[in-house]
Amino acid sequence: MEIDFATAKLRVLCEQHARMVGAFGLPCAKKLRNRVADLEAAAFVTEMVAGRPHPLKGDRLGQFAVDLHGAVRLVFEPDQVPVPRNADKSIAWNQVNKVRIVFIGDYHD
């Protein structure tokens, strides 16, 4: 799958191990590195199995998350135009093959 980043800071966090460790600690950094690799290896979002992948609701409707460590999540959204949709207008995650990472952290705060 293709991965883009909402900001340059997110790109650096996902591509530089030392920055990951500095920002989140070693256990979370390892999970982040693995989840990014999982995204790259998957053809579509629904092929993700590690990290309890799940679509989000409420103010994060249209986004998808995977668990990293504790309450820290990796959050991404489709980066395709047009966004693949089901008949009910929900996102067809089984057809999304390009994503944009938009957040890494605890969105529960």
Side-chain angles (χ1 to χ4, degrees):
M1 185 172 341
E2 288 184 56
I3 301 173
D4 198 6
F5 301 87
T7 67
K9 181 180 177 181
L10 284 170
R11 178 180 295 278
V12 168
L13 280 173
C14 290
E15 293 179 348
Q16 295 181 12
H17 184 70
R19 295 284 179 108
M20 286 183 209
V21 173
F24 302 110
L26 186 58
C28 189
K30 286 180 179 180
K31 294 277 179 88
L32 176 56
R33 186 178 54 214
N34 290 340
R35 295 299 86 80
V36 170
D38 292 344
L39 276 171
E40 290 172 335
F44 300 100
V45 170
T46 52
E47 290 182 5
M48 298 278 299
V49 293
R52 200 178 61 87
H54 54 284
L56 299 176
K57 302 175 186 174
D59 63 342
R60 291 203 174 267
L61 186 66
Q63 297 179 338
F64 209 88
V66 291
D67 297 351
L68 295 178
H69 184 76
V72 178
R73 307 286 185 265
L74 172 65
V75 180
F76 54 89
E77 61 191 17
D79 193 23
Q80 294 171 234
V81 178
V83 172
R85 300 279 178 181
N86 295 311
D88 67 359
K89 305 292 185 206
S90 64
I91 295 173
W93 291 105
N94 63 332
Q95 297 174 36
V96 173
N97 61 7
K98 185 175 181 188
V99 297
R100 178 185 312 109
I101 294 175
V102 296
F103 180 78
I104 303 168
D106 181 359
Y107 55 72
H108 300 102
D109 289 338

